[in-house]
Amino acid sequence: MERYYQPEIECAPLERIQEIQNEKLVKQVQHVWDNVPYYRHLMEEKGLTPADIKSIDDLKKLPFLTKADLREAYPYGLMGKPLKDCVRIQSTSGTTGKRVVAFYTQHDIDLWEECCARAIMAAGGTSEDVCQVSYGYGLFTGGPGLNGGSHKVGCLTIPTSSGNTDRQIMFIMDLQATILCCTPSYAAYLGERMKEMGYGPDDIPLKAGIFGAEAWSEEMRRDIEATLGIKAYDIYGLTELSGPGVSFECSAQSGMHINEDHFIAEIIDPDTGEVLPEGAQGELVFTSIDKEAFPLIRYRTRDICTLTREKCSCGRTHVRMTKPKGRTDDMLIIRGVNVFPSQIESVLIKQGYAANYQIVVDRVNNTDTLDVQVEMTPEMFTDNMGEISARQKELVEGLKSMLGIKAKVSLVAPKSIARSEGKAVRVIDKRKI
Ligand code: DLL
């Protein structure tokens, strides 16, 4: 049986959703014009005033916001409310530049937690469930977001945060946790550790996992589902817009429903900025139409995906996005060819490896090199060089046919690649261009 947190809005007819979006967009543009001089200036540069925005059809007239704007306006330049009305910040790790700091009023936090509650109920969660939140707590949005959602659903919440894997497993087993929330790479690691401890899928009380914050393949999903004996649901989000729960999967496990009463999604051509039709692949752009403290209009996420309004078997009507294929900025260009780490991962998993790998890109004598280091599973581990080189050859061929370019493959011993408790670091690009 499909469960909904707010069925009247999650299953509303498209006309109703558009009505809500029209109304909220007009209000939001006025709010930003009145309170965010940075964005007002961008509108003025285009000769726009709030009177030009009458409905979602006018959205495309508005200027984009990018990560560069967030950096320029850091820390307070995009705030829509005075400090006295804000109650929290969350922040990204800042590994690719200055951190993003997002602000929240209590209203913003309530809406964010409702989005996470929708995701938990879509994964089958009820107040009978024991929900272990193993995303990091603190500045990262994963822990606080799912924690709040879990409370709203009424689950017994175990706020383990990330790390201390054996303690995580102890809580899952002792408290009979039924829902696990963490990154997919950490879920795979927990599964690996539980297997080593002798727990099979039938011994593990979990029934569902809500995994996101990084790209993961369908093959990895099947692997995690088999090891933990669960149904694994994807969840997407970004700090700039609130955190997890911008979109989430339902029982159909076929794309993530975007919470369209809070966020308007567009797909654009990343090179020209042109809005693309439904079904086309491009960069995902969001306008937050409900946020007070950090209202972003036409924010370019750099995530690449497609949108569909095809009817979903779960009964929800909100538009679905595909799993992000990668980011415009984690797309590697190797010898002129666009390569996404997710493509490499799907070849590895198809050939029986776990998702323990690292991609090292370098430039030697002006030529790009691609070195894929992947762990053998304990079952395939051997010191028979003939066997290893046959496996390597098979991988080189699989990668060549997926990517169109040749990669060097190094098979390494089980457990030699560092595990991650949060987002996994998959790519090391040593090129200095
Ligand atoms: O990762 C929020 C989050 C926490 C989402 C927990 C889901 C679960 P940031 O650290 O700001 O926020 O990173 C946002 O992570 O633009 C995507 O590139 C990537 N990302 C997030 N969810 C997914 C997903 C959180 N399900 C950036 N699949 C986004 C692929 C994802 N990529």
Side-chain angles (χ1 to χ4, degrees):
M1 190 192 60
E2 194 71 33
R3 298 198 172 89
Y4 313 97
Y5 183 66
Q6 288 160 314
E8 66 299 343
I9 188 72
E10 293 178 65
C11 305
L14 181 60
E15 306 77 67
R16 175 74 194 121
I17 294 170
Q18 285 174 343
E19 219 174 76
I20 295 174
Q21 290 187 332
N22 285 337
E23 196 185 305
K24 287 188 179 177
L25 176 68
V26 168
K27 261 168 93 180
Q28 185 71 310
V29 170
Q30 187 66 52
H31 168 58
V32 167
W33 175 269
D34 293 339
N35 297 295
V36 187
Y38 188 98
Y39 197 77
R40 178 183 182 138
H41 180 66
L42 293 181
M43 282 177 66
E44 282 169 346
E45 273 179 352
K46 285 201 144 200
L48 294 170
T49 70
D52 294 304
I53 310 303
K54 298 190 179 69
S55 75
I56 47 176
D57 294 336
D58 297 321
L59 188 60
K60 55 183 178 298
K61 296 181 185 165
L62 287 163
F64 291 116
L65 275 174
T66 64
K67 202 138 185 164
D69 291 304
L70 264 55
R71 281 190 195 125
E72 200 179 316
Y74 175 89
Y76 288 128
L78 285 166
M79 273 174 90
K81 282 280 178 185
L83 272 184
K84 73 170 175 51
D85 294 338
C86 298
V87 296
R88 168 105 66 84
I89 70 148
Q90 301 288 157
S91 173
T92 61
S93 59
T95 41
T96 56
K98 209 174 215 145
R99 321 181 146 264
V100 169
V101 174
F103 301 86
Y104 302 75
T105 60
Q106 188 55 50
H107 159 93
D108 296 335
I109 288 185
D110 287 340
L111 294 183
W112 173 28
E113 292 180 351
E114 276 174 21
C115 289
C116 290
R118 290 180 192 178
I120 292 171
M121 290 199 68
T126 69
S127 58
E128 307 277 318
D129 280 292
V130 177
C131 177
Q132 181 153 323
V133 183
S134 310
Y135 286 110
Y137 280 64
L139 289 169
F140 180 55
T141 54
L146 269 311
N147 189 90
S150 176
H151 280 213
K152 286 218 184 299
V153 174
C155 303
L156 173 65
T157 311
I158 315 180
T160 44
S161 191
S162 58
N164 202 337
T165 303
D166 286 359
R167 192 180 63 188
Q168 302 272 359
I169 295 170
M170 184 201 83
F171 276 119
I172 293 173
M173 298 308 293
D174 290 359
L175 297 183
Q176 295 284 291
T178 48
I179 300 178
L180 173 67
C181 306
C182 62
T183 58
S185 53
Y186 195 48
Y189 179 39
L190 279 167
E192 183 184 13
R193 184 79 192 112
M194 289 180 96
K195 199 168 169 185
E196 273 173 10
M197 291 165 90
Y199 296 120
D202 293 339
D203 309 315
I204 300 173
L206 294 169
K207 63 176 191 192
I210 302 179
F211 306 136
E214 63 186 3
W216 53 308
S217 55
E218 282 304 324
E219 290 83 359
M220 188 166 172
R221 186 208 305 262
R222 281 196 286 278
D223 243 31
I224 296 174
E225 289 189 332
T227 318
L228 293 175
I230 59 170
K231 198 158 165 171
Y233 298 83
D234 202 351
I235 182 166
Y236 168 90
L238 53 160
T239 313
E240 294 90 318
L241 292 180
S242 58
V246 170
S247 66
F248 60 87
E249 263 184 354
C250 59
S251 57
Q253 292 178 307
S254 155
M256 294 179 272
H257 291 281
I258 294 173
N259 284 307
E260 286 193 280
D261 51 330
H262 303 314
F263 307 104
I264 303 177
E266 299 170 278
I267 293 286
I268 62 159
D269 177 326
D271 298 323
T272 63
E274 182 203 347
V275 179
L276 300 177
E278 183 188 331
Q281 177 172 290
E283 180 180 348
L284 186 56
V285 172
F286 279 113
T287 298
S288 58
I289 44 176
D290 249 329
K291 298 242 331 253
E292 296 178 336
F294 204 59
L296 297 187
I297 294 191
R298 299 197 90 199
Y299 180 65
R300 293 184 59 158
T301 63
R302 299 199 262 190
D303 291 317
I304 308 218
C305 68
T306 63
L307 297 179
T308 176
R309 283 207 178 271
E310 259 170 48
K311 195 166 185 293
C312 185
S313 59
C314 77
R316 288 179 184 78
T317 46
H318 293 198
V319 72
R320 274 173 293 158
M321 57 180 273
T322 53
K323 272 179 177 300
K325 183 173 164 194
R327 293 173 55 83
T328 48
D329 53 1
D330 81 19
M331 183 179 79
L332 295 160
I333 304 182
I334 300 170
R335 283 169 248 147
V337 176
N338 297 350
V339 173
F340 288 98
S342 58
Q343 293 174 300
I344 296 181
E345 181 178 301
S346 73
V347 173
L348 299 180
I349 295 193
K350 256 190 207 118
Q351 295 199 13
Y353 299 86
N356 298 315
Y357 65 93
Q358 205 144 49
I359 300 165
V360 184
V361 186
D362 205 349
R363 181 160 287 187
V364 182
N365 298 331
N366 293 318
T367 305
D368 294 332
T369 59
L370 170 62
D371 186 357
V372 180
Q373 298 170 357
V374 55
E375 272 183 18
M376 287 179 274
T377 60
E379 297 79 38
M380 50 172 88
F381 187 49
T382 168
D383 50 10
N384 178 332
M385 288 318 285
E387 227 173 90
I388 293 181
S389 81
R391 280 195 173 279
Q392 281 181 178
K393 196 160 160 251
E394 195 187 354
L395 261 182
V396 169
E397 277 160 15
L399 289 169
K400 175 92 199 288
S401 84
M402 168 65 90
L403 309 173
I405 55 168
K406 193 157 187 259
K408 181 173 165 249
V409 169
S410 318
L411 291 184
V412 298
K415 303 239 152 181
S416 51
I417 291 175
R419 299 291 185 266
S420 104
E421 293 164 354
K423 300 192 194 220
V425 181
R426 305 284 197 201
V427 180
I428 300 173
D429 194 341
K430 296 180 171 167
R431 292 175 296 184
K432 296 199 175 48
I433 301 169

